């Protein structure tokens, strides 16, 4: 009997400490890492913000996509990359380049890690960073050394080289490939079945962009997808290779994730309670 009373007293003390601990966390919740995505920086005249990121020792501008005027790289067409698979057909030379009674995969050529592909009578040809038309012209020129007016058809059969990553509070986080049709932010969100309505903070969708030929530093964009109007703006913002789209969690979810760290301890106390009462 005394042992049971002693255990009950100890349980009450442990519970009191736990409740006090949770109360302190509640009061200091805003200071817990990960509770909020607010950043300290210099507010710009257009509403954008500059923040200093210690890990890379750089000041980065967080720019609203509504204020973004993209830099135009080349003509905007898709450029072949390592890993893409190219379908090549040569017409009019069936005895050398058969086009019937063959497996379609036999016409595929994969761009290797050096950016090259191999084709008979052409040898190794540089394919990476070229458009379909540029590669077709280069290969036609090489085939013309052996054949009269070769008719070569070329297309990208499988897009493997360019991709973006959709992470955070979306229904199906995954990698989404970029094809020769530009991929907008709204299309990328649609490809992962949209935001998690219960846990996402639609006004805090971040796009982290890697350095490119024009910018030698990363860029961060923010989009507000909490309303239909935000998706209209997102429809005009096109993603680039290796972009990372991160949908932030709302405040309640962030709080629940912190509190959930203590649930195993609470369950342990409940188990002891049942043991004593039994």
């Amino acid at each position: 009997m005394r042992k049971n009373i002693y255990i009950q007293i100890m349980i009450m003390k442990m519970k009191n400490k736990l409740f006090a601990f949770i109360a302190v966390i509640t009061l200091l919740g805003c200071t817990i890492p990960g509770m909020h995505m607010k950043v300290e920086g210099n507010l710009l005249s257009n509403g954008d913000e500059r923040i200093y990121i210690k890990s890379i020792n750089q000041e980065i501008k967080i720019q609203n996509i509504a204020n973004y005027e993209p830099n135009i790289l080349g003509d905007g067409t898709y450029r072949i990359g390592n890993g893409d698979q190219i379908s090549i057909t040569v017409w009019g030379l069936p005895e050398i380049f058969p086009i019937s009674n063959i497996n379609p995969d036999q016409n595929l050529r994969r761009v290797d890690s050096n950016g090259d592909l191999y084709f008979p009578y052409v040898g190794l040809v540089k394919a990476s960073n070229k458009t379909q038309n540029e590669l077709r012209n280069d290969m036609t020129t090489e085939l013309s050394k052996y054949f009269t007016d070769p008719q070569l058809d070329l297309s990208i059969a499988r897009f493997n080289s360019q991709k973006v990553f959709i992470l955070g509070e979306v229904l199906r986080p995954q990698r989404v490939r970029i094809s020769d049709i530009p991929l907008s932010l709204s299309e990328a969100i649609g490809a992962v079945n949209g935001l998690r309505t219960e846990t996402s903070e639609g006004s805090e969708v971040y796009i982290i962009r890697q350095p490119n030929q024009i910018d030698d530093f990363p860029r961060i964009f923010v989009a507000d997808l909490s309303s239909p109007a935000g998706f209209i703006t997102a429809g005009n913002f096109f993603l680039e290779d290796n972009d990372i789209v991160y949908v932030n969690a709302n405040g309640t979810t962030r709080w629940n994730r912190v509190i959930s760290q203590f649930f195993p301890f609470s369950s342990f106390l409940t188990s002891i309670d049942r043991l004593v009462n039994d």
Side-chain angles (χ1 to χ4, degrees), residues 186-201:
S186 59
E187 289 171 330
I189 294 297
V192 296
N193 292 348
L195 310 183
R196 291 185 179 273
T197 55
E198 304 87 356
T199 60
S200 65
E201 183 59 73

Side-chain angles (χ1 to χ4, degrees), residues 107-177:
N107 287 333
L108 295 184
R109 296 293 185 274
R110 183 181 179 88
V111 181
D112 64 22
S113 59
N114 295 320
D116 302 325
L117 64 77
Y118 175 83
F119 193 75
Y121 293 93
V122 175
L124 282 178
V125 59
K126 181 63 67 176
S128 182
N129 205 36
K130 292 181 179 178
T131 66
Q132 295 181 45
N133 288 336
E134 289 171 346
L135 181 58
R136 180 187 296 111
N137 292 337
D138 290 347
M139 295 185 65
T140 300
T141 299
E142 292 300 316
L143 287 175
S144 297
K145 297 176 181 179
Y146 304 94
F147 308 98
T148 301
D149 192 24
Q151 301 298 305
L152 184 143
D153 187 19
L154 181 150
S155 62
I156 303 175
R158 296 170 186 166
F159 298 87
N160 296 323
S161 63
Q162 299 186 29
K163 67 280 182 189
V164 298
F165 303 91
I166 318 297
L167 308 173
E169 298 304 311
V170 293
L171 288 175
R172 216 158 42 95
Q174 63 176 299
R175 176 179 59 185
V176 177
R177 297 200 181 278

Side-chain angles (χ1 to χ4, degrees), residues 179-191:
S179 69
D180 53 349
I181 300 175
L183 178 68
S184 70
L185 175 59
S186 59
E187 289 171 330
I189 294 297

